[in-house]
Amino acid sequence: MTVLLSSYITERQHIVNKSLTSFVEQTNIPTTLKESMLYSLEAGGKRIRPVLMMASCESFGGDYNSVMTVALALEMIHTYSLIHDDLPAMDDDNFRRGKPTNHRKFDEATAILAGDGLLTLSFKAIASDPQLSAEQKSFLVRELAQASGPEGMVGGQILDLQAEHMETALHELEQIHRLKTGQLIKFAIISGAYIGGANKEQLQALESFADYTGLIFQVQDDILDVSGDEQLLGKPIGSDETNFKSTFPKLLGLSGAIEQKQMYVQKAKAALHSAGLENSLLDELTDYLSNRDY
Amino acid sequence: MTVLLSSYITERQHIVNKSLTSFVEQTNIPTTLKESMLYSLEAGGKRIRPVLMMASCESFGGDYNSVMTVALALEMIHTYSLIHDDLPAMDDDNFRRGKPTNHRKFDEATAILAGDGLLTLSFKAIASDPQLSAEQKSFLVRELAQASGPEGMVGGQILDLQAEHMETALHELEQIHRLKTGQLIKFAIISGAYIGGANKEQLQALESFADYTGLIFQVQDDILDVSGDEQLLGKPIGSDETNFKSTFPKLLGLSGAIEQKQMYVQKAKAALHSAGLENSLLDELTDYLSNRDY
């Protein structure tokens, strides 16, 4: 990773962290619920989705500040999905990013409500953003709800649960991850470009890039779960196997998964080229996502 | 209840039931998740919120069809809140409306995801409704997210859980219910009037009516839980006491709660008078909500 990209990411992460806290602080939410929402928001994620959204916006000449509220909304939805995924009835995880999961720190009822609260607040954030026109707000709410709802991420989550203990084919695994992880990453890229001023053709060309980027992200996640550094990841290695998850390394072996990822990277870069964005920030971010170690 | 009102309610309930099913049937949602969402949507609620929204729209000369999608969205949010409230970590209820609760019929993970799915789908429904302008969509998404989110219903739910086993004062109990039940009922009335063409002054005058209507609904709920008919209610009597809930009869006694409700009815009717809607459908519905036996 270049020094320039590294400092770009760190700076953007910092801005997102500050903005998330200040956004939620300003709301009128009962104390325990607000604490629980902030606890998970402030647990120090990589902010990959907001960073991708900003980079996508900037690649089309937009100002990253113009996507800030939408980026916060997306990160709130990502965070809610982690809180609910960690619940005893789902993956039953005790730690995330080196800290107790929300229901371990608070209790299950609070964690369920904190998730519900973050999900709902994200739509209010977009619909209240004075920087966006009414047209933009309806487009973004529709696309975000589509990406994160039962036809998107929530649908992917149930398919993922159903695939536990099952043999899955590569195309089934890809379909699960297109929904479960891919849809939010796609929304980050497409909405950033949309707000940044991309035209219809450019948005269409980005669809394929966004699709492969989601898959790259997920394969790397699976690879890190078998060969990553527990300290860096903030969670135990091997949790996918313990949870009988369908993963790329399980299906293809570790070296097969790495090859598969490299194929996705090539395809993502080709799509970026078609969109006229070779050598852009998005190009550099693709390598970063593919090679990240946490 | 007049024959006219009774057939109005029945007819509207029927339309809402049909539309809810057909709306969800048309989505591209993984089978089990869709079944679980439809199971709770079709469990036969009273559809009070959609009926209020339609009546409010019609009171200002609007066509009830123009609020249909928003009414479905509101009912989806109400239904999601029931699914999550019934979970073992929350009220731990096994039956609702005479049928097993969602997590008993399916499993906890599916119930959590069905709730998340319904919540998210409701915002997509509004943002995709071709009958609404972009301005109307942003207004309605913002108001619905505010009413149902951590500053509204979800906030009320955590306060309600915290109030279990506690002594609450009347103003605290009112505050819990203003958030937990009142906000969605208020949204039904205000958004119906907004789409029906009410002007700013009329919307403002309705705020107070909507506020009291929410309280009437909740006191009657509490009253039915101590003195209602289990057959009609489809759930056991006394569950509030079993769950150590704060209720109006617990605080004021049964006759005190009835008096309190009658006071709310008087205030609601006075507010309706100020809005120029005495003798309207909303006036009749106030009596219906106050006297309903299930």
Side-chain angles (χ1 to χ4, degrees), chain B residues 155-193:
Chain B
Q157 174 65 4
I158 203 143
L159 295 179
D160 190 39
L161 289 170
Q162 288 171 348
E164 287 172 10
H165 302 272
M166 303 265 284
E167 291 279 324
T168 47
L170 181 60
H171 74 275
E172 292 168 326
L173 192 59
E174 285 183 335
Q175 180 56 12
I176 292 172
H177 292 307
R178 277 207 171 85
L179 294 177
K180 192 180 168 179
T181 336
Q183 288 286 310
L184 289 199
I185 287 180
K186 195 167 191 169
F187 175 81
I189 294 166
I190 299 296
S191 65

Side-chain angles (χ1 to χ4, degrees), chain A residues 106-127:
Chain A
F106 298 85
D107 56 37
E108 262 189 77
T110 307
I112 293 167
L113 292 171
D116 294 344
L118 287 168
L119 170 55
T120 316
L121 191 59
S122 76
F123 292 109
K124 190 193 146 196
I126 295 178

Side-chain angles (χ1 to χ4, degrees), chain B residues 17-286:
Chain B
N17 290 343
K18 257 179 44 185
S19 309
L20 272 173
T21 300
S22 99
F23 183 85
V24 176
E25 291 282 10
Q26 282 165 40
T27 56
N28 184 22
I29 298 175
T31 313
T32 314
L33 184 60
K34 190 190 268 192
E35 279 173 10
S36 165
M37 290 164 65
L38 280 170
Y39 175 77
S40 290
L41 282 175
E42 293 174 342
K46 299 174 287 292
R47 314 304 185 199
I48 282 174
R49 293 155 194 80
V51 170
L52 273 173
M53 197 188 297
M54 291 172 179
S56 182
C57 175
E58 291 175 271
S59 296
F60 288 94
D63 177 347
Y64 74 86
N65 279 303
S66 62
V67 306
M68 186 61 74
T69 307
V70 186
L72 301 184
L74 181 56
E75 193 67 8
M76 287 194 274
I77 289 206
H78 169 58
T79 305
Y80 118 74
S81 77
L82 300 181
I83 297 174
H84 282 192
D85 278 12
D86 286 337
L87 286 166
M90 310 272 251
D91 288 352
D92 195 14
D93 280 319
N94 293 324
F95 288 93
R96 169 157 313 261
R97 297 167 186 158
K99 293 167 69 179
T101 46
N102 197 295
H103 66 276
R104 298 290 293 179
K105 172 77 180 178
F106 297 86
D107 55 38
E108 261 189 79
T110 307
I112 293 168
L113 292 171
D116 294 344
L118 286 167
L119 170 55
T120 317
L121 191 59
S122 77
F123 291 110
K124 190 193 146 198
I126 294 178
S128 313
D129 183 6
Q131 290 191 90
L132 300 170
S133 69
E135 288 293 345
Q136 287 177 315
K137 289 175 190 173
S138 338
F139 173 83
L140 293 163
V141 167
R142 189 180 70 232
E143 294 299 310
L144 181 56
Q146 171 74 31
S148 62
E151 299 161 296
M153 182 184 72
V154 171
Q157 174 65 4
I158 203 143
L159 295 179
D160 190 39
L161 289 170
Q162 288 171 348
E164 287 172 10
H165 302 272
M166 303 265 284
E167 291 279 324
T168 47
L170 181 60
H171 74 275
E172 292 168 326
L173 192 59
E174 285 183 335
Q175 180 56 12
I176 292 172
H177 292 307
R178 277 207 171 85
L179 294 177
K180 192 180 168 179
T181 336
Q183 288 286 310
L184 289 199
I185 287 180
K186 195 167 191 169
F187 175 81
I189 294 166
I190 299 296
S191 65
Y194 168 78
I195 300 173
N199 62 33
K200 269 195 176 165
E201 288 69 38
Q202 290 170 315
L203 289 177
Q204 220 147 31
L206 273 182
E207 291 266 331
S208 168
F209 166 71
D211 194 38
Y212 287 114
T213 306
L215 289 168
I216 292 164
F217 177 81
Q218 187 61 48
V219 189
Q220 184 63 7
D221 232 41
D222 289 358
I223 290 172
L224 288 173
D225 192 71
V226 290
S227 68
D229 179 324
E230 297 198 346
Q231 285 296 96
L232 282 172
L233 291 170
K235 61 177 182 183
I237 292 299
S239 68
D240 287 339
E241 203 177 336
T242 319
N243 288 327
F244 304 99
K245 291 281 179 199
S246 292
T247 68
F248 286 91
K250 188 173 160 193
L251 188 67
L252 308 169
L254 183 55
S255 64
I258 292 170
E259 268 173 45
Q260 188 70 21
K261 182 183 70 174
Q262 282 159 347
M263 190 271 285
Y264 293 146
V265 171
Q266 277 174 20
K267 294 207 174 177
K269 293 197 169 209
L272 214 47
H273 198 279
S274 310
L277 291 173
E278 62 274 20
N279 306 321
S280 67
L281 255 174
L282 290 177
D283 188 284
E284 285 190 79
L285 279 167
T286 309

